Amino acid sequence: MSRPSGNAARDRTGAAGLRTGFTTGTCATAAALASALYRKEGVAPDRVEVELPDGRFVGLPVIHCGDGRFGVIKDAGDDPDVTGGLMVCAGVEPLAGETILFAAGDGVGIVTRPGLKLPVGEPAINPVPRRMIEKAVRTVLDGGARITVSIPGGEAVARRTFNPRLGVVGGLSILGTTGIVRPMSEDALKESLEADLRVKCAQGRRELAFAFGESGERAVWRTLGLPPDATVQTSNYVGHMLAFAAEAGVTAVLLTGHPGKLAKVSAGTMNTHNAAGDGRIEAICTRAALMGATRAQIQALYACPTTEAAMRCVQEAGLDGIWTELAGTAAERAVLQVHGRLQVEAMFFDGAGNPLGASAGAEALVERMRAWED
């Protein structure tokens, strides 16, 4: 195959000095290329160079696993990727004709629900890795091939990923759009959240409850009686997920969460990560003032070091209605964020998952979502 022409991807230091890694797609490509070379030349390589989607080349060591299969130990760099350290294997079987077929081996999942980038029944090898693998194999072999990708131990690891909720069963997915893992990649997390929403929409859902994380989802399921298929996690990316929902055809969203997160949305902060902004206490203080709180009460609220402390202060001051008011404000801010393309309601929960307050249309939206099940 062709060699790099001076622009090889050799600098593996990313932002903040953190080391980048390689995606499962890049690892599978290297393993498949090694298998194809072995099929053609009868010699087991110990290293191959593969082309990334941007045209750069990277060299990866490969391990001969027997039977013409090769493996690559995934190096995720400094990213806490659950697949780091796993072996991604591939075996290439030449076929008559020109077609390239993909098969899932041990530890690679199968798509069982519509809404992902692959049809139901296909191995969970995403489109960009498929193109990378096919391009690499075609540089070596003439004609078609069946390429089987496996990740020993992948089925157990997959239980700690989004795959079960996306309907990918039996193992992990072969992923990657750039071929490179960047430490704590926001893009990778957003892609997982988007995929979850697409799956729910493919099932016919057009009204969804948003929760920041797993504990928030459990509160929605338990307290509101909504099923898992009606909820989507947003992590910190509320604004991004609202915009994505509008583009995906969702018509209504119920924002749910603890005041520690949802009060930020009331303040107009649509990325709730601490590094992106805050406004929780300010939003609570402003609403308390509008409700007639005394100067001393507002000062006490403003001095609270945490949202939990502010919640206790609110209760002691007899201002519990503040959460209903803030829920209405959060809903209004969210509607403005998507320029009116969605109905948005909001509901606050305490740390035990009990409702604190909700916007005016929240109850009716929940009833519609429950009725959809019937």
Side-chain angles (χ1 to χ4, degrees):
M1 65 181 297
S2 59
R3 296 297 183 221
S5 56
N7 65 334
R10 304 191 189 280
D11 181 2
R12 296 191 53 200
T13 302
L18 296 175
R19 200 169 58 90
T20 60
F22 298 113
T23 63
T24 48
T26 298
C27 295
T29 301
L33 176 58
S35 181
L37 288 167
Y38 179 79
R39 294 293 186 188
K40 182 176 181 179
E41 301 171 0
V43 177
D46 58 12
R47 186 178 183 84
V48 296
E49 288 187 329
V50 297
E51 186 177 0
L52 300 178
D54 66 2
R56 295 182 297 163
F57 284 80
V58 292
L60 280 79
V62 294
I63 301 167
H64 191 195
C65 304
D67 300 324
R69 296 181 304 111
F70 286 76
V72 174
I73 302 296
K74 179 175 174 181
D75 178 0
D78 289 328
D79 190 75
D81 190 323
V82 295
T83 62
L86 294 180
M87 180 179 286
V88 181
C89 303
V92 175
E93 177 189 352
L95 297 175
E98 296 295 325
T99 302
I100 297 290
L101 302 176
F102 289 91
D106 177 47
V108 170
I110 298 292
V111 176
T112 66
R113 292 182 185 175
L116 297 178
K117 297 176 181 179
L118 299 165
V120 170
E122 279 290 308
I125 304 170
N126 268 17
V128 172
R130 286 182 184 230
R131 290 195 292 270
M132 291 175 65
I133 294 168
E134 178 171 352
K135 185 175 183 179
V137 169
R138 288 196 186 280
T139 64
V140 176
L141 298 180
D142 297 323
R146 176 183 288 106
I147 302 164
T148 302
V149 182
S150 59
I151 305 178
E155 184 170 5
V157 175
R159 300 189 190 107
R160 293 148 49 198
T161 72
F162 265 72
N163 276 15
R165 67 186 294 142
L166 297 178
V168 175
V169 301
L172 293 161
S173 300
I174 304 299
L175 301 172
T177 56
T178 66
I180 298 294
V181 173
R182 291 175 175 80
M184 298 300 292
S185 168
E186 288 191 4
D187 289 342
L189 177 54
K190 287 177 181 178
E191 186 174 353
S192 295
L193 300 172
E194 291 169 4
D196 187 28
L197 189 145
R198 283 197 302 269
V199 167
K200 305 299 168 58
C201 287
Q203 295 170 358
R205 289 276 182 189
R206 291 296 178 267
E207 297 178 329
L208 294 166
F210 279 8
F212 290 97
E214 291 182 4
S215 60
E217 276 195 314
R218 288 194 292 271
V220 170
W221 302 339
R222 181 179 65 252
T223 306
L224 302 183
L226 294 176
D229 284 347
T231 62
V232 170
Q233 290 184 29
T234 66
S235 186
N236 290 306
Y237 310 112
V238 179
H240 174 83
M241 290 302 290
L242 284 168
F244 186 80
E247 293 294 332
V250 173
T251 59
V253 166
L254 175 69
L255 291 179
T256 67
H258 185 275
K261 289 288 188 182
L262 196 51
K264 292 185 180 184
V265 179
S266 302
T269 302
M270 294 295 161
N271 181 335
T272 59
H273 193 284
N274 289 338
D278 200 340
R280 293 167 295 171
I281 298 301
E282 289 79 1
I284 293 169
C285 287
T286 299
R287 186 52 59 180
L290 292 172
M291 292 175 65
T294 66
R295 182 183 181 88
Q297 288 172 330
I298 296 169
Q299 286 176 327
L301 278 170
Y302 192 70
C304 288
T306 65
T307 312
E308 287 289 344
M311 292 168 67
R312 291 193 294 271
C313 196
V314 164
Q315 187 175 29
E316 291 167 1
L319 295 169
D320 295 301
I322 200 169
W323 307 118
T324 295
E325 297 293 330
L326 284 174
T329 304
E332 291 170 4
R333 294 280 192 172
V335 170
L336 288 173
Q337 176 73 14
V338 294
H339 308 290
R341 292 181 293 167
L342 291 172
Q343 176 192 353
V344 182
E345 305 295 340
M347 184 177 293
F348 280 87
F349 289 90
D350 65 17
N354 302 308
L356 292 171
S359 60
E363 184 176 345
L365 176 55
V366 170
E367 288 300 322
R368 292 203 306 271
M369 286 192 281
R370 288 188 189 130
W372 192 87
E373 289 296 305
D374 301 330

